[in-house]
């Protein structure tokens, strides 16, 4: 009787173990991206996990990310996620040097995590399960196959079959890498592909003409009065910008109303259209920060729509919901007090860009965006504060968010060296829906000197200012304050952004040489 030879135990080298882990996890992410690009871009396993991370992130960490990275906060998050996933893939490979089971378990756990986060997404649809489910099948399968190929090569050692085993293992690993890269690229291209019903396909309906900008709307040294669309700040929770089918998009207005309304995009655009300039400010904007911009928004007045629906007695907030499940809560009394609160579908003379809320977003002058700027809006429920709590209020932010009167020095920048003598100091001030009447600058705690104001183009927009001051050689501190139309002077009390917006006076150190 011939004894069955015992196959010697082998251990993968660390490099081969790492490659095994990277290919197992990478192939899962790649195929997940590809399937998501084909059926539902937002269901990419990588993005669903990231979205859940955003939802669970402590508020202090979110504010740190915004303060540190500004509008690049999402890129920073995605980069950090990629590093963490890479580390987990490496760990999975190293755990499987002797046998594949521990590494496969790690890959399976990562896949299950993606499935769970997909189901927990606020706008979950059954079709969203397809991408993480396929990824969960592919990842462990690839991991096991690559591990087996490397194990076979290691077992053959220096025997006659060694060269063939090594070639097969390397060919398999290289093939998986190439296919995964191709799937990732294809998935990203599919997700980013412009829709046939996207902004480029929609011309804005006619609106009453707006007057030309006066020459002094923008002053030398201050930003342009009208922010170019590409430079308009963007802060939201969406890692994957929603792609909305305009043919099937609807806006539902319901809740404490006399008549529930459901409007298609064509029906909304057929209503009387206005184009108005509005300055928007993010509540996370620090004193002197850049998270404020000004644009001409085209849309329909929200108050007219609500009047048609008939607001019921006791209504307090508009709970607006985005297509991705994000919610904002807007005070009813503010929207209906006569200001140009809009359902906007245009920005700076063109269709609203996808990243700014296409096809429709809400814009309410005088309120921070977290309570008024719902992008990709699809539902408005008229309700009370006690009946529903919107996204940011659940995380400790104030229920109502009127924009604080603020001013900013844009020229010179902090830390700049300037020629001694007459120095130009210029910047921006805003008090949306109140308006700015005065801006003053002080040097080294001295007398406040009035600045020249740019054109007043309405209470809902920011206002530029400029002055010249005398600076002797040495270090100096410039400070600015604004006064609004109510006579209220910008407070010097320093407060962080949470819960209802930062306060204080912007201070810029400079050196005159």
């Amino acid at each position: 009787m011939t004894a069955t030879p015992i196959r010697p135990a082998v251990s993968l080298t660390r490099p081969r173990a790492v490659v095994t882990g990277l290919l197992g996890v990478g192939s899962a992410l790649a195929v997940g991206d590809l399937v998501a690009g084909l059926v539902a871009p937002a269901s990419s396993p990588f993005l669903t996990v990231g979205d859940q991370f955003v939802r669970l992130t402590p508020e202090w960490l979110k504010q740190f990310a915004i303060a540190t990275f500004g509008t690049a906060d999402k890129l920073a998050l995605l980069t950090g996620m990629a590093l963490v996933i890479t580390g987990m893939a490496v760990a999975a490979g190293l755990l499987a040097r002797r046998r594949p089971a521990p590494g496969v378990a790690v890959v399976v756990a990562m896949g299950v995590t993606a499935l769970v986060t997909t189901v927990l997404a606020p706008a979950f649809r059954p079709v969203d399960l397809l991408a993480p489910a396929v990824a969960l099948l592919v990842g462990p399968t690839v991991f096991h196959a690559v591990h087996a190929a490397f194990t076979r090569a290691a077992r053959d050692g220096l025997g006659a079959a060694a060269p063939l085993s090594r070639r097969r293992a390397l060919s398999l690993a290289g093939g998986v890498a190439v296919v995964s890269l191709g799937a990732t690229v294809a998935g990203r291209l599919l997700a980013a592909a412009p829709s046939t019903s996207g902004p480029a396909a929609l011309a804005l309906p006619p609106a009453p003409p707006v007057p030309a900008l006066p020459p002094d709307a923008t002053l030398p040294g201050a930003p342009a009065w009208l922010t170019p669309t590409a430079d308009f700040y963007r802060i939201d929770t969406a890692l994957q910008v929603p792609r909305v089918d305009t043919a099937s998009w609807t806006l539902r207005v319901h809740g404490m109303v006399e008549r529930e309304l459901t409007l298609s995009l064509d029906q909304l655009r057929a209503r009387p259209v206005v184009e108005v300039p509005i300055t928007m400010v993010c509540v996370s904007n620090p004193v002197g920060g850049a998270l404020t911009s000004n644009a001409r928004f085209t849309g329909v007045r929200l108050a007219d729509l609500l009047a048609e629906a008939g607001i019921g007695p006791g209504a307090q907030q508009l709970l607006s919901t985005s297509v991705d499940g994000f919610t904002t809560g807007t005070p009813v009394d503010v929207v209906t007090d006569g200001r140009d609160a809009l359902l906007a579908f245009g920005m700076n003379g063109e269709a609203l860009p996808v990243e700014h809320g296409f096809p429709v977003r809400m814009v309410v002058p005088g309120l921070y965006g977290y309570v008024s700027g719902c992008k990709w809006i699809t539902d408005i429920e008229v309700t009370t504060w006690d009946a529903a709590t919107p996204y940011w209020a659940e995380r400790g932010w104030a229920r109502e968010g009127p924009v604080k009167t603020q001013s900013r020095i844009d020229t010179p920048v902090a830390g700049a060296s300037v020629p001694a003598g007459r120095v130009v100091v210029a910047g921006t001030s805003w008090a949306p829906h109140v308006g700015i009447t005065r801006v003053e600058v002080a040097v080294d705690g001295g007398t406040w000197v009035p600045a020249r104001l740019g054109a007043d183009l309405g209470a809902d927009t920011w206002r530029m200012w400029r002055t010249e001051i005398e600076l002797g050689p040495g270090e100096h501190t410039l400070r600015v304050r604004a006064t609004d139309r109510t006579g209220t002077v910008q407070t010097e009390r320093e407060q962080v952004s949470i819960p209802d917006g930062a306060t204080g006076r912007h201070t810029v150190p400079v050196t005159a040489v």
Side-chain angles (χ1 to χ4, degrees):
M1 185 173 184
T2 303
T4 302
I6 298 175
R7 307 179 77 179
V10 297
S11 178
L12 299 185
T13 64
R14 284 186 174 85
R16 289 184 176 181
V18 168
V19 169
T20 300
L22 292 175
L23 291 179
V25 173
S27 62
L29 291 173
V31 75
D33 264 358
L34 179 59
V35 175
L38 290 169
V39 297
S43 68
S44 161
F46 183 68
L47 295 177
T48 57
V49 172
D51 284 331
Q52 184 67 10
F53 179 83
V54 170
R55 288 189 288 272
L56 297 178
T57 298
E59 196 54 43
W60 67 266
L61 184 54
K62 289 182 182 177
Q63 291 312 301
F64 171 79
I66 292 174
T68 305
F69 302 107
T71 55
D73 59 334
K74 294 180 180 63
L75 177 61
L77 170 62
L78 295 175
T79 301
M81 283 180 56
L83 293 175
V84 171
I85 291 172
T86 299
M88 294 179 69
V90 169
L94 294 176
L95 288 172
R97 289 185 65 194
R98 291 186 176 276
R99 56 193 183 92
V104 169
V106 173
V107 178
V108 169
M110 295 173 71
V112 171
T113 299
L115 273 174
V116 171
T117 56
T118 299
V119 174
L120 293 177
F124 167 71
R125 302 170 301 163
V127 70
D128 294 339
L129 284 173
L130 187 58
V134 173
L136 181 56
L137 292 173
V138 169
T141 301
V142 169
F143 187 99
H144 200 285
V146 174
H147 189 282
F150 280 141
T151 299
R152 189 178 303 111
R155 184 177 292 118
D156 288 342
L158 300 176
L164 179 60
S165 295
R166 284 197 297 269
R167 282 198 299 271
R168 286 176 175 173
L170 293 175
S171 295
L172 176 62
V176 169
V178 170
V179 171
S180 297
L181 179 59
T184 299
V185 172
R188 292 293 86 206
L189 290 176
L190 287 169
S195 170
T196 55
S197 60
L202 290 179
L204 291 180
V210 295
L213 289 181
D216 60 345
T218 299
L219 297 178
W225 180 83
L226 188 67
T227 306
T229 302
D231 297 335
F232 202 99
Y233 81 89
R234 179 196 165 198
I235 295 290
D236 53 50
T237 63
L239 294 181
Q240 173 71 51
V241 175
R243 290 168 53 186
V244 180
D245 179 11
T246 56
S248 61
W249 178 90
T250 58
L251 175 67
R252 181 186 177 211
V253 181
H254 61 107
M256 300 172 66
V257 295
E258 298 172 3
R259 293 167 294 278
E260 183 173 318
L261 303 178
T262 300
L263 299 175
S264 68
L265 184 59
D266 287 341
Q267 289 172 326
L268 184 70
R269 288 160 53 92
R271 300 172 70 89
V273 175
V274 296
E275 182 180 4
V276 293
I278 296 175
T279 294
M280 295 192 67
V281 185
C282 179
V283 71
S284 297
N285 196 42
V287 172
L291 300 180
T292 180
S293 302
N294 186 62
R296 293 188 185 272
F297 288 97
T298 302
V300 301
R301 287 191 171 91
L302 184 54
D304 295 343
L305 196 66
L306 295 174
E308 184 176 323
I311 299 176
Q316 296 172 311
Q317 74 161 321
L318 305 180
L319 184 71
S320 303
T321 304
S322 166
V323 297
D324 63 358
F326 175 82
T327 55
T328 62
T330 310
V332 169
D333 58 347
V334 171
V335 172
T336 56
D337 68 358
R339 72 186 69 193
D340 287 318
L342 300 181
L343 289 172
F345 38 74
M347 184 176 180
N348 289 338
E350 298 179 343
L352 195 66
V354 173
E355 62 272 20
H356 288 294
F358 178 85
V360 180
R361 70 169 298 167
M362 184 186 290
V363 183
V364 182
L367 297 182
Y368 288 116
Y370 82 103
V371 297
S372 67
C374 187
K375 300 177 182 178
W376 313 289
I377 190 171
T378 189
D379 187 277
I380 299 176
E381 179 184 2
V382 183
T383 184
T384 64
W385 294 117
D386 292 336
T389 305
Y391 181 92
W392 286 113
E394 288 180 339
R395 289 154 177 81
W397 292 83
R399 191 171 65 185
E400 301 178 41
V403 178
K404 308 290 180 64
T405 299
Q406 284 287 299
S407 52
R408 183 181 72 205
I409 298 172
D410 292 284
T411 300
V413 298
S417 293
V418 297
R422 299 293 290 178
V423 175
V424 171
V425 182
T428 318
S429 56
W430 57 86
H433 202 61
V434 179
I436 295 292
T437 58
R438 185 180 179 88
V439 172
E440 300 165 290
V441 176
V443 180
D444 300 330
T447 304
W448 289 101
V449 177
R452 171 195 170 197
L453 292 179
D456 184 355
L457 297 172
D460 292 340
T461 69
W462 59 10
R463 200 166 180 185
M464 306 304 150
W465 58 267
R466 185 180 189 275
T467 189
E468 293 185 10
I469 56 175
E470 188 75 29
L471 292 182
E475 296 181 351
H476 299 280
T477 299
L478 310 178
R479 184 170 300 225
V480 64
R481 70 181 185 185
T483 302
D484 64 33
R485 286 181 178 174
T486 69
T488 301
V489 179
Q490 176 182 341
T491 180
E492 62 181 342
R493 181 175 63 88
E494 295 184 357
Q495 173 184 299
V496 297
S497 295
I498 193 168
D500 60 356
T503 61
R505 293 173 180 169
H506 191 208
T507 301
V508 170
V510 297
T511 301
V513 294

